[in-house]
Amino acid sequence: MRMRKLGKTDIDVSLICLGTMTWGEQNTEQEAFEQLDYAVDAGINFIDTAEMYPVPPKLETQGRTEEYLGNWLARRGRRDDLVIASKVAGPGNGLSYLRGGPRLTREHIREACDSSLQRLQTDYIDLYQVHWPDRSANFFGKLGYEQNPKESMTPIEETLGALDELVKEGKIRHVGLSNETPWGVMEYLRLSRENNWPRVVSIQNPYSLLNRSFEAGLAEFAHREETGLLAYSPLAFGMLTGKYMGGKWPEKARLTLYERFVRYTGDHAADATRAYVELAYQQGLSPAQMALAWVNSREFVTSNIIGATSMEQLKENIGSTEITLSADIVSAIEAIHSEFTYPCP
């Protein structure tokens, strides 16, 4: 398993990060343990979770994913061998049941962190990420920015100041962002520099063959400021595996089970998906592994967050690290991208 530095830290993380958001909804605790055992044996040392998981978020399941991971850590005794990442939820996603509606204030961040530590059964979190901005911004499915004159925004200064306290107390080691924009990254870096507060080490945003919006403004930040991308949804909710092509809706698949996931199901996205899947088959590759291998090859990517509901999927996804795409395949991918530049935000 290839390793890459996490920002400007001394931490090496695996190129593949094990995502966990299905645990407690589509996956049982036993299945989560099986995934963890296999992934760690395969050389993965980076595990990503969040206080709001599993997804879709619900009151009755909130925090269950962290609990599963915490139970595994307690039973296996492997805490010091792994880099554990979690997230504090910002407003949005209908999480009114979480602290009366989560905000990125000092009070909310401290409460969220303490609760995550308890569920994870650990004294510290290696990477604590701000799950999405506490302001109006063009994130998570929005390409265009629209000003909201009535917005209620928690100042980034308050958010980063609270995270600084947690670092000094030893509860978290490093700070990351998720679903963030270039302006937001700039503000976090500015405030870090001016106040000697923790420096952002990563940006966890969507990135795949169907969604390359990260390249427009954030890839340069990731490169020049060493705030590498933790790419989530690299298979676009499974679309890039080709399993939904031709109007198929496989039983127990995420898009079959949950109507809320419509981000990658439009006609334009379906046409782009078909082109990528056909290219993979022409080259004798698994569509999933080609899509993941392409993400793995991007220099501004620190780690590629893969998720799976079956061991077969997990093994195939991890196997993408053994594939090197030829220059001809990359050129063909770019040609498809030129035709379908933004099939979905």
Side-chain angles (χ1 to χ4, degrees), residues 23 57 88 111 216 221 235 255 272 319:
W23 300 355
V88 52
E111 181 179 342
F221 269 107
L235 291 177
L255 299 185

Side-chain angles (χ1 to χ4, degrees), residues 52 88-93 95 102 104 130-135 139-140 178-180:
M52 65 166 275
V88 52
N93 273 315
L95 304 178
L104 298 178
V130 177
H131 210 158
W132 50 80
D134 193 341
R135 66 182 194 276
F139 63 90
F140 198 75
S178 181
N179 298 313
E180 193 48 274

Side-chain angles (χ1 to χ4, degrees), residues 7-8 156-157 160 175-177 180-203 218 220-228:
K8 292 188 175 183
I156 292 177
E157 185 173 12
L160 189 55
V175 172
L177 304 174
E180 193 48 274
T181 68
W183 182 87
V185 176
M186 178 191 71
E187 278 296 286
Y188 275 97
L189 291 173
R190 180 183 68 82
L191 290 166
S192 169
R193 184 171 58 250
E194 292 178 358
N195 296 283
N196 195 30
W197 285 343
R199 193 178 190 281
V200 169
V201 301
S202 60
I203 308 167
L218 283 164
E220 186 175 7
F221 269 107
H223 166 64
R224 298 190 187 280
E225 297 292 340
E226 296 182 61
T227 55

